Structures are given as structure tokens and as C-alpha cells.
């Protein structure tokens, strides 16, 4: 599968956008993009699969263009692929290694111009980890941004064994990871989570003790309150009403209402390494939407599907079938 460093092409195919706007208007497939070269602390990857996330289309719309890299931009944060060239200071990886990660250390502070929806991409060594052997490249590409976001939020809430948690948006990319980490890694005493009617069984299968159908139940009206509320949908004003006195609320979307806090993910391969035993044992599983795997040629359709806001788990683009 991997090209050797000696035979690397100088040009590659990549999906790019030359201006900000809706994905259906601005995404273009280019076949003569120069293959980026790794700096001393980077590796060049042959991309096998790329996960996409809401941040990709928000960035494409220009929502943080004042702190973005220059256009044209190749979208994509999540990658799984094969190392084909290493920078002079790289110690952890060698040519041929199968790796995965979120290639943007700071999610909205100058994310790279050269994203992952391309045949090759360069990544800083510290943002990557070896791909768990039991996962396919597509499965691995679905994980980095969402599992690292879930983990960082739980750490910021000082989550620990014996605490209860309410997850808002339990069936989404981040939500499906919060539930699994809270149960399998942290030892939550009770997990409640919201989703639409059709997705309640999924919440149970992930480890939720109390699935809440948001179409007919207001979680803030429950008599029970929670040690931690993790808002993955942008309902902070309601979230703060469901937390115990002295508890923690963290949100990753929308306006922040005290005492809630928010954060933007800092990507770190060490988090993936720390969670590897849970992934290799199958205790924590990738969650890809049943209709969520698209070939490279159908990248615009993948974005259109993601933009419906109805995705269960993740959408992944398979670059090399």
C-alpha cells in the first residue's frame, strides 16, 4: 500500500476549497497539488482514511477565518495512514508504521492548510499514535478528534469513579465516546444521555443507564441531578439546571452559562496511546454511522450527509479502498 520514500510522487489528488462557503459550492477535487514535505518534527503519511467532523464545515464556512491558515485549504483533521517519510528529529515512528491522529494541535488556531482529505499529509510526530491492531484504517480515522475531545472534557470536569454524568447529544461523534469513556475508563456510577427516539437503544448498548428521549422529555425537569453534565450539542442554559450543587458542567458548542466552562481541543497523540488498551480490548469501540463511509470521489456527499446534523457517530472518507 505505502509508497517508499524513494518513489514518492511530487503531485497528489486532494479536495480543496479556494474560498469560504458551503461545501456544495466550494469543494473541488484537484489532481496536481504538490505533496507537502515533512519538517524535522513531522512525518509524511500516505492517507488511507480521513474522518470528518462538524468543525470541518464550520471552518469551510469561514467561522474562524481571522485565525485560519491561508486559502486554498485542504479540509480534514482526522487521519489514519502509513508513514512514508520521517523528519530528521522523529524518534517514535519509522517508514511503514500504521498510525492515526488529529493533525491540528489547536483546533481553531491556524489549523494546517494541508488537511487529511488528500492522498498525502504531513503531521507532527507528537499528534500521532500507532493504530490499534484490531481496528481498520476507517475505524481508526473515525476516532482521534472525538475521543480526544471526550477525554479532555472529562478530565476538565475532574470526572472519576463513582460519579454520575449526564451526556447531552449521546448519539453524536463526541457523545458516543463520552458515554464509553465514562463507563469503561472512569467507572461512572450512573450515565444518563439524551438522543432522539430511534437512538435510545444505541445509548443503552454504549453503556447509558438512563437513555432520555429529548423529543418528549426535558432532562432539566428530572428530579435527579448529576455530578457532571457534558454538553456536546450547545444547550448550556439547560445543562446548568441539571447539575448537582458544586458539580461540573462542560460544553463544547455555543454560549457558555456559568458555572459551565468550555474548551477547544488540544490534539495529543499521548491521549490515544493512553486509551489504546481500551480500544485494543474492544471495551471502547469506534462508532461510525451505518451510512457514514464514503469513497474519496464522494467527499462532497460525505459533507452533505454530515451537515444534516442527523449522523449517528461518525462520517469517514476512505481514500484507499
Amino acid at each position: 500500500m505505502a509508497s517508499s520514500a524513494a518513489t514518492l510522487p511530487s503531485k497528489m489528488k486532494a479536495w480543496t476549497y479556494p474560498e469560504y462557503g458551503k461545501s456544495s459550492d466550494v469543494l473541488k477535487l484537484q489532481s496536481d497539488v504538490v505533496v507537502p514535505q515533512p519538517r524535522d518534527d513531522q512525518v509524511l503519511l500516505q492517507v488511507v482514511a480521513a474522518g470528518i467532523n462538524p468543525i470541518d464545515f464550520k471552518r469551510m464556512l469561514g467561522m474562524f477565518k481571522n485565525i485560519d491558515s491561508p486559502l486554498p485549504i485542504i479540509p480534514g483533521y482526522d487521519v489514519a495512514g502509513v508513514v512514508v517519510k520521517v523528519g530528521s528529529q522523529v524518534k517514535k515512528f519509522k517508514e511503514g508504521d500504521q498510525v492515526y491522529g488529529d493533525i491540528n494541535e489547536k483546533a481553531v488556531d491556524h489549523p494546517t492548510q494541508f488537511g487529511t482529505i488528500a492522498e498525502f499529509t504531513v503531521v507532527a510526530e507528537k499528534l500521532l499514535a500507532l493504530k490499534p491492531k484490531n481496528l481498520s484504517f476507517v475505524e481508526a480515522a473515525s476516532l482521534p478528534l472525538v475521543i480526544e475531545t471526550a477525554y479532555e472534557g472529562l478530565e476538565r470536569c475532574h470526572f472519576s469513579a463513582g460519579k454520575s454524568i449526564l451526556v447531552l447529544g449521546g448519539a453524536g461523534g463526541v457523545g458516543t465516546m463520552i458515554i464509553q469513556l465514562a463507563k469503561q475508563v472512569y467507572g461512572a456510577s450512573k450515565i444518563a444521555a439524551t438522543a432522539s427516539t430511534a437512538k435510545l437503544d444505541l445509548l443503552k448498548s454504549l453503556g447509558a443507564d438512563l437513555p432520555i428521549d429529548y423529543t418528549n422529555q426535558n432532562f432539566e425537569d428530572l428530579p435527579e441531578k448529576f455530578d457532571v453534565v457534558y454538553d456536546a450539542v450547545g444547550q448550556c442554559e439547560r445543562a446548568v439546571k441539571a447539575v448537582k450543587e458544586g458539580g461540573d458542567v462542560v460544553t463544547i458548542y455555543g454560549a457558555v452559562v456559568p458555572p459551565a466552562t468550555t474548551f477547544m481541543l488540544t490534539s495529543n497523540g499521548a491521549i490515544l496511546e493512553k486509551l489504546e488498551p481500551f480500544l485494543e480490548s474492544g471495551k471502547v469501540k469506534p462508532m461510525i454511522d451505518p451510512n457514514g463511509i464514503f469513497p474519496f470521489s464522494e467527499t462532497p456527499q460525505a459533507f452533505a450527509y454530515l451537515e444534516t446534523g442527523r449522523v449517528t457517530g461518525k462520517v469517514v472518507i476512505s481514500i484507499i479502498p
Side-chain angles (χ1 to χ4, degrees), residues 3 15 67 104 107 135 168 194 240 250 274 279 285:
S3 311
W15 285 91
I67 48 171
N104 289 307
L135 298 184
L168 305 185
T194 63
V240 295
V250 65
K274 188 170 189 174
L279 293 163
K285 296 179 172 65

Side-chain angles (χ1 to χ4, degrees), residues 50-52 288-289 292-294 302-303 305-306 311 313-317:
I52 58 172
I288 299 172
D289 186 283
I293 301 173
F294 291 81
F303 272 96
Y305 188 54
L306 180 65
V311 173
K314 288 298 301 291
V315 174
V316 180
I317 295 161

Side-chain angles (χ1 to χ4, degrees), residues 219-231:
F219 62 81
E220 67 271 41
D221 296 339
L222 290 170
E224 183 175 2
K225 303 301 173 193
F226 299 87
D227 295 311
V228 166
V229 182
Y230 196 140
D231 169 24

Side-chain angles (χ1 to χ4, degrees), residues 53-54 65 75 154 200 264 281:
N53 299 280
K65 61 185 173 191
L154 288 166
L200 298 180
M264 290 306 297
S281 66

Side-chain angles (χ1 to χ4, degrees), residues 60-140:
M60 206 179 301
L61 287 167
M63 285 189 181
F64 45 94
K65 61 185 173 191
N66 296 339
I67 48 171
D68 204 349
S69 291
L71 294 160
I73 287 168
I74 299 169
Y77 283 59
D78 284 331
V79 70
V82 180
V83 176
V84 291
K85 192 175 181 183
V86 297
S88 60
Q89 302 298 312
V90 170
K91 306 277 189 292
K92 225 168 32 173
F93 304 115
K94 61 187 186 306
E95 280 179 37
D97 281 350
Q98 300 183 355
V99 297
Y100 74 132
D102 167 359
I103 72 168
N104 289 307
E105 184 172 13
K106 297 290 183 191
V108 297
D109 184 1
H110 297 89
T112 177
Q113 189 176 9
F114 297 98
T116 60
I117 308 175
E119 292 178 311
F120 297 90
T121 196
V122 290
V123 197
E125 173 185 37
K126 67 180 178 182
L127 305 183
L128 294 170
L130 289 171
K131 178 180 76 65
K133 295 180 184 63
N134 58 316
L135 298 184
S136 69
F137 283 99
V138 165
E139 288 172 325

Side-chain angles (χ1 to χ4, degrees), residues 23-285:
S23 63
S24 53
D25 296 333
V26 298
L27 262 182
K28 305 277 184 283
L29 180 59
Q30 306 284 356
S31 54
D32 58 349
V33 178
V34 175
V35 173
Q37 291 304 305
R39 294 195 308 264
D40 290 350
D41 64 339
Q42 292 180 322
V43 300
L44 177 65
L45 296 186
Q46 182 169 27
V47 181
V48 182
I52 58 172
N53 299 280
I55 196 167
D56 286 300
F57 66 75
K58 291 176 181 177
R59 179 189 185 191
M60 206 179 301
L61 287 167
M63 285 189 181
F64 45 94
K65 61 185 173 191
N66 296 339
I67 48 171
D68 204 349
S69 291
L71 294 160
I73 287 168
I74 299 169
Y77 283 59
D78 284 331
V79 70
V82 180
V83 176
V84 291
K85 192 175 181 183
V86 297
S88 60
Q89 302 298 312
V90 170
K91 306 277 189 292
K92 225 168 32 173
F93 304 115
K94 61 187 186 306
E95 280 179 37
D97 281 350
Q98 300 183 355
V99 297
Y100 74 132
D102 167 359
I103 72 168
N104 289 307
E105 184 172 13
K106 297 290 183 191
V108 297
D109 184 1
H110 297 89
T112 177
Q113 189 176 9
F114 297 98
T116 60
I117 308 175
E119 292 178 311
F120 297 90
T121 196
V122 290
V123 197
E125 173 185 37
K126 67 180 178 182
L127 305 183
L128 294 170
L130 289 171
K131 178 180 76 65
K133 295 180 184 63
N134 58 316
L135 298 184
S136 69
F137 283 99
V138 165
E139 288 172 325
S142 75
L143 286 168
L145 185 143
V146 290
I147 204 169
E148 291 181 39
T149 300
Y151 178 84
E152 186 172 336
L154 288 166
E155 287 290 297
R156 283 168 176 267
C157 283
H158 318 292
F159 198 65
S160 57
K163 287 188 177 180
S164 62
I165 185 170
L166 168 63
V167 182
L168 305 185
V174 176
T176 53
M177 292 299 134
I178 302 167
I179 294 170
Q180 293 186 84
L181 295 186
K183 186 174 183 75
Q184 300 294 347
V185 179
Y186 291 88
S189 62
K190 183 166 191 178
I191 301 170
T194 63
S196 58
T197 317
K199 297 178 181 176
L200 298 180
D201 285 342
L202 170 72
L203 299 187
K204 279 186 200 157
S205 73
L206 293 172
D209 306 292
L210 178 63
I212 299 167
D213 184 344
Y214 69 68
T215 65
N216 60 31
Q217 195 175 11
N218 289 331
F219 62 81
E220 67 271 41
D221 296 339
L222 290 170
E224 183 175 2
K225 303 301 173 193
F226 299 87
D227 295 311
V228 166
V229 182
Y230 196 140
D231 169 24
V233 286
Q235 297 177 330
C236 196
E237 205 164 291
R238 296 171 61 200
V240 295
K241 295 174 185 168
V243 72
K244 284 179 184 172
E245 189 76 31
D248 290 283
V249 181
V250 65
T251 184
I252 52 172
Y253 289 120
V256 181
V257 178
T261 57
T262 189
F263 70 97
M264 290 306 297
L265 173 66
T266 301
S267 170
N268 185 353
I271 297 174
L272 299 176
E273 288 170 356
K274 188 170 189 174
L275 297 175
E276 183 182 27
F278 299 94
L279 293 163
E280 290 224 319
S281 66
K283 284 182 173 167
V284 175
K285 296 179 172 65

